[in-house]
Amino acid sequence: MRYGLCCWLSCKLTIDAGSLVFFMQAGFAMLEAGVVNSRNVINILYKNIMDASIGCVCFWLVGYGFAYGTTAGGFIGTDNFAISSIYNGAGEGGSDGWEGFFFQFAFAGTAATIVSGSVAERFKFEAYLVYSGVCTAFIYPVIVHWVWGSGFLSAWGARPDADGNARPLLSGTSTSNGVIDFAGSGVVHLVGGVSGLMGAILVGPRKGRFDSDGKPKAQRPHNTTLMALGTTILWFGWYGFNCGSTLALSGGAANVAGKVAVTTTISAAAGCLMATIISRFLEGTFDIGLALNGILAALVGITANCSVVNPWMAFLIGIISAWIYYGASKLLLKLRIDDPLDAFPIHGACGFWGLLATGIFCTDANVQYAAYPNVNDACGRGEQFAVQLIGGLVIVAWASVMSGLTFLVMKFVVGLRVSSEIEEAGLDISEHGIGAYANELTKVFPSPVSDEVTKVQVSYE
Amino acid sequence: MKWQYQQATDAVSQNRKNLNDFEALVKANSRDMDTAWIVLCGALVFFMQAGFAMLEAGIVHPKNVTNILFKNMIDASIAAIAFWLLGYGFAFGSDSGGFIGKCGSACYFGLKDVYNGAGDGMGSSDGWEKWFFQWAFAGAAATIVAGAVCERTKLEAYFIYSVFLSTFMYPVIVHWVWGYGWLSAWGAYPDSNGVARPIFNKDTRSNGLIDFAGSGVVHMVGGFCGLVGAIIAGARRGRFGPDGSVNTLFDGNNTLQALGVFILWFGWYGFNCGSTLMISGGAANVAGKVAVNMTISAASAAITATFLAKALQGHYNISMGLNGVLAGLVGITANCAVVDPWMAFLIGFVAALILYGGHYLLLALRIDDPCDASVVHGFCGMWGIWATGIFCTDKNVQYAGYPNANEACGSGEQFGVQVVGSLVIAAWTIGMSVMLFLFIDKTIGIRVSAEVEEAGLDISEHGVAPSYEQQPQVPSRLCPRVWTFLQVH
Amino acid sequence: MKWQYQQATDAVSQNRKNLNDFEALVKANSRDMDTAWIVLCGALVFFMQAGFAMLEAGIVHPKNVTNILFKNMIDASIAAIAFWLLGYGFAFGSDSGGFIGKCGSACYFGLKDVYNGAGDGMGSSDGWEKWFFQWAFAGAAATIVAGAVCERTKLEAYFIYSVFLSTFMYPVIVHWVWGYGWLSAWGAYPDSNGVARPIFNKDTRSNGLIDFAGSGVVHMVGGFCGLVGAIIAGARRGRFGPDGSVNTLFDGNNTLQALGVFILWFGWYGFNCGSTLMISGGAANVAGKVAVNMTISAASAAITATFLAKALQGHYNISMGLNGVLAGLVGITANCAVVDPWMAFLIGFVAALILYGGHYLLLALRIDDPCDASVVHGFCGMWGIWATGIFCTDKNVQYAGYPNANEACGSGEQFGVQVVGSLVIAAWTIGMSVMLFLFIDKTIGIRVSAEVEEAGLDISEHGVAPSYEQQPQVPSRLCPRVWTFLQVH
């Protein structure tokens, strides 16, 4: 009776929250459709629908097993492929675990879809599908295993002591927590952001992004309505992302979910306001794209630590996230790296910041409240910061090497980049057989359109 | 000593009393959770209206966008009033011969037997949330048809259709399959102990029709009704050339379509997971399983449709991919609770093939269904019902909470029941819709005039210029009468 | 014998101990359910921001779209910071004379008394989720005004307004009606036993103002504030001709409007159903009832507005239909828990009439409210408060969980209370907004220059290119290749 009641509650939350996280796919689709040039809109929409689908199949067949199967040396899971250990009655009165897979799938889809923004407008559709499969089947699940499964970075730990209590790798005793990444600043966003960066570097900048002196040309998002819609949907879905990461409701976890909602909100709001101020005083105008990205950057920054910080810390984290996003975005331009959606500055840089912020701001009392298993003073002593830093570096190393390898292999097998003519004409015509799309789009979602779009349209006629 | 004994006895009975209180409390908690779950899922299902509206607005020509949006808005509203006054009573009222609900020991016309305190207040709900959830379904069934008959039908015809569907045509099928009707797994024929028995065999060896969340009840009804409407209304002007060629009238707005499909996919988690109708007593496990299965089916169908289109058409056709998602979701809807994930994968795969075949079948037959509603919802809905019979296992049927423990799936009987059930639903829907649309056509006429169709329905029916075209010269959208009035006063 | 007795006693007390543990567990579960319900509903309410953004972006001229989107985004953020630092403390802190919350036994400035373990950990929540839910409401109140003053006000003016509203103006009314303020059903005047009493009569015979989910607290505040803003800012250039004619400046984008309304309707289920503030102890039943009533009211208002527009204007006006949905929802918001479905139908019907009348009243008065925000939210919000007094029954008030059992509804006293309450809210809102907007106008100026207004706010304030209206016409997006394939095969 007791266990059953808790299970019903937890399953309910997990399914509701999973649906919300899934809805973030719609948010990403609308956001990216709003930012890219109108001749590539169908391509980016299609990538979004396909990475949800491919992500589901790959994660179901192998990814979930790598992530949550029985650990092999703290590195990777080894069973539960095709969710073979989830079946009717697996839980014997407790949860059978169906909802666990559903929730994790929604996360995997998010990690994969981030990359589509970095490589937008020039990447081959097939190459993207292959990457999307590799990411959800292997690159992402391994990190999940390390941090959230029984892996070597996990707070639940890979090394059982003599009594069978799991111990985190660092220190191997209950005095240490392992990496605290509550809802995935590192696991989801950093992985997506770093992979996107690798993709953007290897595929090269879009034609005409930088002039011959290496100066970036002004890029205007062609449709702010879609961007605003997408960002609001993402913010909405993020409540599922972060609050649902309590993974339970009973036993006080609902209180944590409430707290997470508060810190998430305050950080997002602070990021939005800071980005607005940056925009007004450094760019001279109220740039809506900058402000919307400020929201996303702050949401990424709070994701790892939403349960272990206080509201005023969330406020600071949001403010700093906006600066980190802005700085990283400028840095990429200096380095002549073309990331159309700013996916690396938002998800990569702020994801890393989220992990570090956890170490900076966490308190041991908060860590207990958030139900981490070991009672210790790792936060107070500062050890936690070191752990977060190491964890972040490990994730960056793995994600960049693995995604780099994937992209390199594809570069030599199928090629990463569409031909120059196709890029010029837009991917919609060549890959999807539909062109001259912009006019309809801009009519439905009224918004400024850059001269470039107009020019291209005229050339079609 | 005796006194001590008395004391102990008192304490024991006090404990027992407390225990009873707690039991009631726990039951009330379960009830409250179930109710909250249904309210949330109902809201998600309602949100599918937004998905349908965006999907269809993304397909029709801009000159008809306002019209299709209007239809989507008004059919949800009409469904609410019709389902409140009559439909819900026909669907879930006291059974009358297995055919229709009536006003008996339970009377739901105008929500008569849903009132404050209708449940016992402890273990059972008052039933408000059930109407809400069922209304959201009725609205979904009604709105499917809008996509099939768009760009050429009169708004008044659509009103009549919409009232009829949500008052009578749809509720009757709900009664058959989900109420205590003759196809229902809960059965119309009680045995001597009052335990419900399905019509086939009339004993526990048979299950009745298994349609978990409405591949048949909702999607087939909407889809086949749309098919009949599309045939009777005829093709849009210029859709088929005299030499039999097929013309694309408008290429569609893919952003809106994609937004619509994502919203639908999101809302579908309420549609299917909420069809557990509760969350306590292990039903949450079923809801989790449903979410997994439908995700896999949707993904499988989207991938299949994508690569099929690439292979046959040479392009990654996004409309086909998006419709693939919907086809996979419709196909899994009947059986999401009674199949395993690998079966869901196959169901989605076949749904995509049916989508593809059906799309070209309709074109070959010169039937003009602009949104492919009859293919996605009708044909794939029928496949969903059949797939239930093909893939269900008796263990899964038990897990999903169906009342009779038997081996109908193993023995293959279930497949027969599903085929019969789907044919009955198709026959009822087609029969009723033919009558309905012919009646409309003979009285007020189903189709707008050629001039109106050419100019677009937005101007004639809604007084607005073709959507998104800049009209600097349009002075006002308001009728002169009102303006004269206002300017005089 | 004694030993046996001892054994029995031990067993009994052990049972009681288990029983107590169990009771604590069940209570904790109830608490967890309630918290989760509020978090989910709060997320739905937040999503209404997307609805408002789309609705308003669909109404303003394309040259001002980025501006209105920016306002919608920034007011949610400003509300979060302002409501965190001050607003929530004013609304729900220890009562100070029934007027405002302060820092006393409960202090919520900067969420001081919301912390880990603030609740007792067993039966009560720490209160995090309450702030989240209330913030979403504050954001909704703030964002309503954006629609009334759009296309002509300075962004800086909107910042100031937004900070003031969510810091002080709105929280004070929340304190009056939902906190322990002088209008509240939970009352500012405790009797000798510390039981709160409403101000009217100061005993259990009176209820205080019944505003279940905020027709008055949220919508009237937003609507009347918008009305004042629209009057002080003045009409858009060219809206009213020198001869008194009314010009339509832009025909609107119906797709975005419809999307916005559907999202709002969806989010409204969180708004109203979540206002039960819990689901345990039977509150889930109330949530179900709320969902039913608001659906019927929205449907009734949409249908009424539709046919009214058809009868008076000769067209099915979709803007009127969509605003009808919103009017019906605003009207039912105060009373969704205390009326029966047929009353909800009437409330929606009247709300549509008020919408229609209010729309033309504003035009006749030469007040320019582009989104009709003051009509939909202000006037219909006031109707919602009055309708509560007209239609409520004492039985329903009990069912909805109001604390005092009395016959205020039957005796008609409740209607008096509602009228007084609505006038007080209107007076406060209008008074404060007049001061606020006049102050802004005298200092930085509320209105952009004529050149900026002519060119659109997107260029001047956001540095983005002008709208799409200079786009070349693209006749058809037919791709020859695909269709060649199809026509060949």
Side-chain angles (χ1 to χ4, degrees):
Chain A
M1 175 68 95
R2 168 181 175 160
Y3 191 74
L5 193 64
C6 303
C7 154
W8 309 334
L9 282 165
S10 306
C11 296
K12 170 176 174 330
L13 176 84
T14 312
I15 296 166
D16 287 342
S19 307
L20 284 185
V21 178
F22 171 77
F23 195 44
M24 291 173 73
Q25 293 285 342
F28 277 114
M30 292 302 112
L31 175 65
E32 294 173 7
V35 173
V36 300
N37 196 302
S38 48
R39 58 184 194 264
N40 298 318
V41 166
I42 294 169
N43 185 255
I44 202 96
L45 292 170
Y46 214 150
K47 281 176 178 169
N48 273 283
I49 230 143
M50 285 311 281
D51 60 30
S53 298
I54 289 180
C56 171
V57 173
C58 292
F59 199 65
W60 163 50
L61 289 176
V62 289
Y64 194 64
F66 285 146
Y68 288 104
T70 308
T71 187
F75 176 71
I76 197 167
T78 53
D79 55 12
N80 200 9
F81 298 114
I83 57 176
S84 55
S85 24
I86 298 178
Y87 51 84
N88 307 345
E92 290 177 359
S95 157
D96 291 349
W98 296 102
E99 78 288 354
F101 168 77
F102 173 60
F103 191 64
Q104 294 297 336
F105 141 73
F107 274 64
T110 305
T113 210
I114 290 169
V115 176
S116 66
S118 288
V119 300
E121 309 200 82
R122 58 207 191 275
F123 216 66
K124 268 195 185 164
F125 194 64
E126 291 84 357
Y128 181 75
L129 298 186
V130 172
Y131 161 76
S132 169
V134 173
C135 175
T136 45
F138 185 68
I139 301 177
Y140 168 78
V142 167
I143 294 183
V144 170
H145 185 78
W146 293 352
V147 180
W148 289 340
S150 331
F152 74 99
L153 288 169
S154 169
W156 292 269
R159 308 229 172 144
D161 64 10
D163 300 323
N165 297 323
R167 295 283 176 239
L169 182 72
L170 315 212
S171 86
T173 68
S174 63
T175 50
S176 187
N177 281 322
V179 172
I180 293 182
D181 185 2
F182 189 73
S185 284
V187 174
V188 178
H189 294 282
L190 186 54
V191 170
V194 168
S195 304
L197 181 66
M198 294 308 288
I201 293 173
L202 288 172
V203 77
R206 286 166 294 174
K207 280 169 80 83
R209 178 68 172 114
F210 300 102
D211 63 19
S212 47
D213 308 332
K215 283 226 162 63
K217 287 187 182 157
Q219 295 284 304
R220 292 274 173 226
H222 83 272
N223 193 314
T224 50
T225 309
L226 283 180
M227 288 170 63
L229 177 62
T231 305
T232 322
I233 291 177
L234 284 172
W235 189 346
F236 172 56
W238 226 290
Y239 290 116
F241 201 95
N242 284 5
C243 300
S245 290
T246 53
L247 297 181
L249 273 183
S250 52
N255 261 327
V256 179
K259 181 181 180 180
V260 165
V262 174
T263 51
T264 303
T265 304
I266 290 177
S267 175
C272 172
L273 295 176
M274 192 68 237
T276 301
I277 294 167
I278 292 174
S279 161
R280 176 70 183 81
F281 292 101
L282 296 184
E283 305 280 314
T285 177
F286 291 105
D287 181 347
I288 195 169
L290 197 49
L292 292 172
N293 282 344
I295 292 175
L296 297 181
L299 286 169
V300 171
I302 197 73
T303 295
N305 42 54
C306 48
S307 64
V308 300
V309 297
N310 294 330
W312 67 267
M313 303 170 180
F315 182 75
L316 288 182
I317 290 171
I319 298 245
I320 297 171
S321 296
W323 280 106
I324 288 178
Y325 154 68
Y326 186 72
S329 178
K330 292 284 167 206
L331 181 68
L332 284 195
L333 290 182
K334 278 244 175 330
L335 297 174
R336 315 244 190 297
I337 297 169
D338 181 18
D339 184 347
L341 265 290
D342 273 343
F344 175 76
I346 294 171
H347 300 280
C350 292
F352 200 89
W353 158 242
L355 283 180
L356 293 185
T358 311
I360 298 170
F361 291 109
C362 74
T363 67
D364 296 302
N366 277 328
V367 170
Q368 289 312 304
Y369 188 67
Y372 281 91
N374 295 321
V375 180
N376 55 41
D377 53 2
C379 286
R381 282 186 289 115
E383 185 204 301
Q384 192 64 43
F385 180 76
V387 173
Q388 299 292 119
L389 181 63
I390 293 170
L393 293 175
V394 168
I395 292 176
V396 168
W398 170 262
S400 54
V401 169
M402 294 310 294
S403 63
L405 278 177
T406 311
F407 288 129
L408 276 178
V409 167
M410 278 188 295
K411 188 165 187 163
F412 293 112
V413 180
V414 295
L416 284 184
R417 190 161 179 143
V418 296
S419 72
S420 164
E421 296 75 43
I422 290 179
E423 190 179 345
E424 202 72 48
L427 279 71
D428 287 359
I429 276 228
S430 73
E431 313 235 340
H432 307 287
I434 305 178
Y437 172 79
N439 213 38
E440 304 311 330
L441 177 75
T442 49
K443 281 174 182 170
V444 180
F445 292 97
S447 187
V449 183
S450 64
D451 298 335
E452 196 190 354
V453 178
T454 315
K455 205 173 62 204
V456 169
Q457 281 181 349
V458 172
S459 72
Y460 276 140
E461 289 319 303
Chain B
M1 198 57 153
K2 186 151 190 184
W3 178 77
Q4 280 178 330
Y5 170 73
Q6 187 60 44
Q7 211 179 27
T9 315
D10 285 354
V12 168
S13 56
Q14 182 62 38
N15 273 359
R16 180 162 302 142
K17 198 154 154 293
N18 289 345
L19 214 49
N20 288 343
D21 289 351
F22 286 139
E23 191 181 2
L25 185 65
V26 170
K27 274 190 185 157
N29 265 351
S30 307
R31 185 269 320 269
D32 290 336
M33 286 193 307
D34 294 347
T35 305
W37 168 251
I38 295 305
V39 172
L40 282 171
C41 287
L44 281 183
V45 178
F46 165 74
F47 195 42
M48 291 172 72
Q49 294 284 343
F52 279 114
M54 291 303 111
L55 175 68
E56 292 167 9
I59 289 173
V60 301
H61 192 282
K63 69 187 177 187
N64 298 318
V65 161
T66 301
N67 184 255
I68 198 88
L69 294 169
F70 193 87
K71 283 178 179 167
N72 271 283
M73 180 198 68
I74 206 75
D75 63 23
S77 297
I78 289 179
I81 305 301
F83 210 62
W84 162 48
L85 291 175
L86 292 170
Y88 192 61
F90 286 140
F92 292 101
S94 294
D95 181 56
S96 175
F99 175 72
I100 198 167
K102 62 168 192 236
C103 214
S105 59
C107 178
Y108 292 125
F109 298 115
L111 290 185
K112 181 165 171 294
D113 281 357
V114 178
Y115 51 85
N116 307 345
D120 61 12
M122 287 312 294
S124 64
S125 123
D126 288 354
W128 296 102
E129 80 287 358
K130 295 195 182 73
W131 180 87
F132 174 58
F133 192 66
Q134 293 295 339
W135 157 71
F137 274 63
T143 215
I144 289 169
V145 176
V149 300
C150 58
E151 308 202 82
R152 58 201 190 277
T153 46
K154 280 189 185 161
L155 205 49
E156 288 82 4
Y158 192 75
F159 291 156
I160 297 176
Y161 142 78
S162 189
V163 169
F164 183 73
L165 181 123
S166 32
T167 308
F168 184 69
M169 199 167 117
Y170 169 77
V172 164
I173 292 184
V174 171
H175 183 78
W176 292 355
V177 181
W178 291 339
Y180 294 93
W182 62 284
L183 284 170
S184 168
W186 291 267
Y189 292 82
D191 66 8
S192 55
N193 298 320
V195 180
R197 296 283 176 242
I199 185 165
F200 303 90
N201 298 349
K202 297 184 190 167
D203 63 24
T204 55
R205 280 175 299 147
S206 188
N207 282 321
L209 184 63
I210 293 181
D211 184 4
F212 189 72
S215 284
V217 175
V218 178
H219 294 283
M220 266 180 72
V221 170
F224 279 94
C225 185
L227 182 65
V228 171
I231 293 174
I232 292 182
R236 288 167 294 174
R237 289 170 63 80
R239 172 64 164 154
F240 300 111
D243 57 345
S245 64
V246 178
N247 303 313
T248 300
L249 299 179
F250 176 67
D251 235 14
N253 181 318
N254 300 99
T255 309
L256 284 182
Q257 281 181 52
L259 177 61
V261 167
F262 274 121
I263 292 177
L264 285 171
W265 192 343
F266 172 55
W268 225 294
Y269 289 113
F271 200 95
N272 284 2
C273 300
S275 289
T276 53
L277 298 180
M278 55 184 188
I279 197 82
S280 60
N285 263 327
V286 179
K289 183 179 179 183
V290 164
V292 172
N293 281 340
M294 54 183 283
T295 307
I296 291 175
S297 175
S300 146
I303 295 172
T304 309
T306 296
F307 288 106
L308 212 55
K310 173 74 176 168
L312 295 180
Q313 299 182 347
H315 286 299
Y316 294 105
N317 180 334
I318 192 167
S319 291
M320 208 45 100
L322 293 170
N323 271 341
V325 169
L326 298 183
L329 289 168
V330 170
I332 199 74
T333 293
N335 42 54
C336 46
V338 299
V339 298
D340 293 327
W342 67 267
M343 301 169 182
F345 184 84
L346 289 182
I347 290 170
F349 177 78
V350 175
L353 300 183
I354 291 174
L355 164 72
Y356 214 82
H359 176 76
Y360 289 112
L361 178 67
L362 287 196
L363 291 183
L365 295 174
R366 300 286 174 267
I367 297 171
D368 184 18
D369 178 351
C371 301
D372 273 341
S374 51
V375 179
V376 168
H377 299 280
F379 299 171
C380 293
M382 190 172 244
W383 159 243
I385 296 280
W386 291 29
T388 311
I390 297 171
F391 290 109
C392 74
T393 68
D394 296 302
K395 185 164 146 280
N396 276 327
V397 171
Q398 289 311 302
Y399 187 68
Y402 281 92
N404 296 321
N406 56 37
E407 49 182 9
C409 286
S411 72
E413 187 207 303
Q414 191 65 42
F415 181 71
V417 173
Q418 300 293 118
V419 172
V420 171
S422 69
L423 294 177
V424 167
I425 293 175
W428 168 264
T429 309
I430 292 175
M432 295 307 286
S433 341
V434 167
M435 279 170 47
L436 170 68
F437 287 119
L438 282 182
F439 169 77
I440 294 175
D441 203 23
K442 296 296 168 218
T443 50
I444 63 168
I446 195 169
R447 191 155 175 148
V448 297
S449 70
E451 297 74 43
V452 169
E453 188 175 345
E454 206 65 50
L457 280 71
D458 287 1
I459 283 201
S460 72
E461 313 234 349
H462 306 283
V464 292
S467 220
Y468 340 127
E469 304 292 340
Q470 275 303 130
Q471 296 286 322
Q473 302 312 323
V474 173
S476 166
R477 286 159 49 192
L478 301 166
C479 173
R481 263 179 293 169
V482 178
W483 285 107
T484 316
F485 171 84
L486 281 174
Q487 283 152 21
V488 167
H489 291 81
Chain C
M1 194 57 160
K2 186 149 193 185
W3 178 78
Q4 278 177 333
Y5 166 73
Q6 188 58 44
Q7 210 177 28
T9 315
D10 287 355
V12 168
S13 56
Q14 182 62 41
N15 272 358
R16 178 160 300 142
K17 195 155 156 295
N18 289 346
L19 221 46
N20 288 345
D21 290 352
F22 190 54
E23 184 182 10
L25 182 69
V26 170
K27 276 192 183 151
N29 266 346
S30 307
R31 187 268 321 270
D32 291 338
M33 289 195 304
D34 295 344
T35 305
W37 170 250
I38 295 305
V39 172
L40 283 170
C41 287
L44 283 185
V45 178
F46 166 74
F47 195 44
M48 291 172 73
Q49 293 285 343
F52 279 114
M54 292 301 111
L55 174 67
E56 292 166 10
I59 289 174
V60 302
H61 192 281
K63 68 188 175 187
N64 299 318
V65 162
T66 302
N67 185 255
I68 196 87
L69 294 169
F70 196 89
K71 283 179 179 166
N72 270 282
M73 179 195 65
I74 205 81
D75 63 24
S77 296
I78 289 178
I81 304 302
F83 209 63
W84 161 49
L85 291 175
L86 292 171
Y88 192 61
F90 287 139
F92 292 101
S94 295
D95 180 56
S96 174
F99 175 72
I100 198 168
K102 62 168 194 235
C103 214
S105 59
C107 178
Y108 292 126
F109 297 115
L111 289 185
K112 182 166 169 293
D113 282 356
V114 178
Y115 51 84
N116 305 345
D120 62 11
M122 286 313 293
S124 65
S125 120
D126 289 354
W128 296 102
E129 80 287 359
K130 294 195 182 76
W131 180 87
F132 174 59
F133 192 65
Q134 293 295 340
W135 157 71
F137 274 63
T143 215
I144 289 169
V145 177
V149 301
C150 58
E151 308 201 83
R152 58 201 189 277
T153 46
K154 279 190 186 159
L155 206 49
E156 288 82 1
Y158 192 76
F159 291 158
I160 298 175
Y161 142 78
S162 188
V163 169
F164 183 72
L165 181 123
S166 33
T167 306
F168 184 69
M169 198 167 118
Y170 169 78
V172 165
I173 293 187
V174 170
H175 183 77
W176 293 354
V177 182
W178 291 340
Y180 293 93
W182 62 284
L183 284 169
S184 169
W186 290 268
Y189 292 83
D191 65 10
S192 55
N193 298 318
V195 179
R197 297 282 176 241
I199 186 164
F200 303 88
N201 298 346
K202 296 185 191 168
D203 62 23
T204 55
R205 280 176 297 146
S206 189
N207 282 320
L209 184 63
I210 293 181
D211 185 4
F212 189 73
S215 283
V217 175
V218 178
H219 293 283
M220 267 180 72
V221 171
F224 280 92
C225 186
L227 181 66
V228 172
I231 292 172
I232 292 182
R236 289 167 294 175
R237 288 171 63 79
R239 174 64 165 155
F240 299 109
D243 58 345
S245 64
V246 177
N247 303 313
T248 301
L249 298 178
F250 176 66
D251 236 13
N253 181 322
N254 295 324
T255 309
L256 283 183
Q257 281 182 53
L259 176 62
V261 168
F262 275 121
I263 292 177
L264 284 170
W265 192 345
F266 171 58
W268 225 293
Y269 288 113
F271 200 95
N272 285 3
C273 300
S275 289
T276 54
L277 298 180
M278 53 183 188
I279 55 170
S280 59
N285 264 327
V286 180
K289 183 180 179 181
V290 164
V292 173
N293 281 338
M294 53 184 285
T295 304
I296 290 176
S297 176
S300 147
I303 292 173
T304 309
T306 296
F307 287 105
L308 211 55
K310 172 74 175 170
L312 295 179
Q313 300 183 347
H315 286 300
Y316 294 104
N317 181 333
I318 192 168
S319 291
M320 210 42 101
L322 292 171
N323 271 342
V325 169
L326 299 182
L329 289 168
V330 170
I332 198 73
T333 294
N335 42 54
C336 46
V338 298
V339 298
D340 293 327
W342 68 267
M343 302 169 181
F345 182 82
L346 289 182
I347 291 170
F349 177 77
V350 176
L353 300 183
I354 291 174
L355 164 71
Y356 213 81
H359 175 76
Y360 289 112
L361 178 68
L362 287 195
L363 291 182
L365 296 172
R366 300 290 175 265
I367 297 171
D368 184 18
D369 179 351
C371 300
D372 273 340
S374 52
V375 180
V376 168
H377 299 281
F379 299 170
C380 293
M382 189 173 247
W383 159 243
I385 296 281
W386 291 30
T388 311
I390 298 171
F391 291 110
C392 74
T393 67
D394 296 302
K395 186 165 148 278
N396 277 327
V397 171
Q398 291 310 304
Y399 188 68
Y402 281 91
N404 295 323
N406 55 38
E407 47 183 12
C409 287
S411 72
E413 187 208 301
Q414 191 64 44
F415 181 71
V417 174
Q418 301 293 119
V419 171
V420 172
S422 69
L423 295 177
V424 167
I425 293 176
W428 169 264
T429 309
I430 291 174
M432 297 305 288
S433 338
V434 167
M435 282 169 47
L436 171 67
F437 286 119
L438 282 183
F439 169 78
I440 294 175
D441 203 22
K442 298 295 168 220
T443 49
I444 64 168
I446 196 170
R447 190 154 176 150
V448 297
S449 69
E451 296 74 42
V452 168
E453 188 177 345
E454 206 65 51
L457 281 71
D458 286 3
I459 279 199
S460 72
E461 314 234 350
H462 307 284
V464 290
S467 73
Y468 65 84
E469 57 191 279
Q470 283 86 27
Q471 287 299 299
Q473 287 288 321
V474 176
S476 165
R477 293 167 43 209
L478 175 76
C479 175
R481 263 178 291 177
V482 176
W483 290 106
T484 313
F485 170 86
L486 285 176
Q487 284 152 19
V488 169
H489 292 77

